[in-house]
Amino acid sequence: MDLNIRLMEKISYYIFALVALMLLSLQMPFFAVSSTSLATDQSALLALTTHITLDPYLILTRNWTNVSCVCNWIGVTCNSRHHRVVALNISGMGLVGTIPPQLGNLSFLVSPDLRS
Ligand SMILES: *[C@@H]1O[C@H](CO)[C@@H](O)[C@H](O)[C@H]1NC(C)=O
Ligand SMILES: *[C@@H]1O[C@H](CO)[C@@H](O)[C@H](O)[C@H]1NC(C)=O
Ligand SMILES: *[C@@H]1O[C@H](CO)[C@@H](O)[C@H](O)[C@H]1NC(C)=O
Ligand SMILES: *[C@@H]1O[C@H](CO)[C@@H](O)[C@H](O)[C@H]1NC(C)=O
């Protein structure tokens, strides 16, 4: 009887460990993918800065640096759910330049505002 209870305890412990392990292995690739993707967004916007030929108020020059997360950059909005860049508003900053093809890598971007 006592042996049976101990056996049950052991089995339920193993089931618990197995479920925890399965949940962990499901989570891991998710985090890996989301962090690479935000890095993709950041490199796309850094590519944009290299195509800016005039930044009269030094807004991007001073603020868009890899010191801080791309989500904290002026004019950049990330969504909290996917942690991806969803809006880009660099209008009215007096910027001159071209739009690099890397901007197409902002796969979650729904609101680009590049006027003026
Ligand atoms: C960039 O601008 C944002 C918003 O104004 C500010 O919170 C952040 O500290 C700035 N980052 C740098 C590196 O200046
Ligand atoms: C930031 O970018 C510069 C130049 O591209 C690079 O040398 C530096 O290692 C980067 N720093 C980080 C923390 O990624
Ligand atoms: C972008 O910013 C400008 C200036 O702050 C503002 O007038 C404009 O409405 C913004 N665009 C969007 C799409 O939010
Ligand atoms: C982003 O876009 C450029 C040009 O369209 C491409 O060469 C590059 O492989 C893309 N991917 C990443 C992760 O930067």
Side-chain angles (χ1 to χ4, degrees), residues 88-92 111-113 115:
L88 177 65
N89 188 351
I90 54 170
S91 73
S111 171
D113 192 343
R115 285 175 297 166

Side-chain angles (χ1 to χ4, degrees), residues 34-97:
S34 74
S35 77
T36 355
S37 304
L38 189 65
T40 310
D41 289 356
Q42 171 150 343
S43 67
L45 291 178
L46 284 175
L48 176 64
T49 64
T50 67
H51 287 71
I52 299 291
T53 51
L54 182 64
D55 181 7
Y57 311 112
L58 303 178
I59 296 174
L60 302 193
T61 310
R62 290 203 176 132
N63 193 265
W64 285 25
T65 66
N66 55 7
V67 175
S68 66
C69 175
V70 62
C71 295
N72 298 327
W73 292 356
I74 288 175
V76 176
T77 309
C78 292
N79 74 349
S80 46
R81 197 159 148 246
H82 298 106
H83 207 54
R84 296 291 303 267
V85 172
V86 290
L88 177 65
N89 188 351
I90 54 170
S91 73
M93 294 179 181
L95 302 172
V96 176

Side-chain angles (χ1 to χ4, degrees), residues 12-25:
S12 60
Y13 169 78
Y14 280 124
I15 289 175
F16 173 78
L18 203 72
V19 168
L21 213 75
M22 274 166 64
L23 285 176
L24 207 70
S25 65

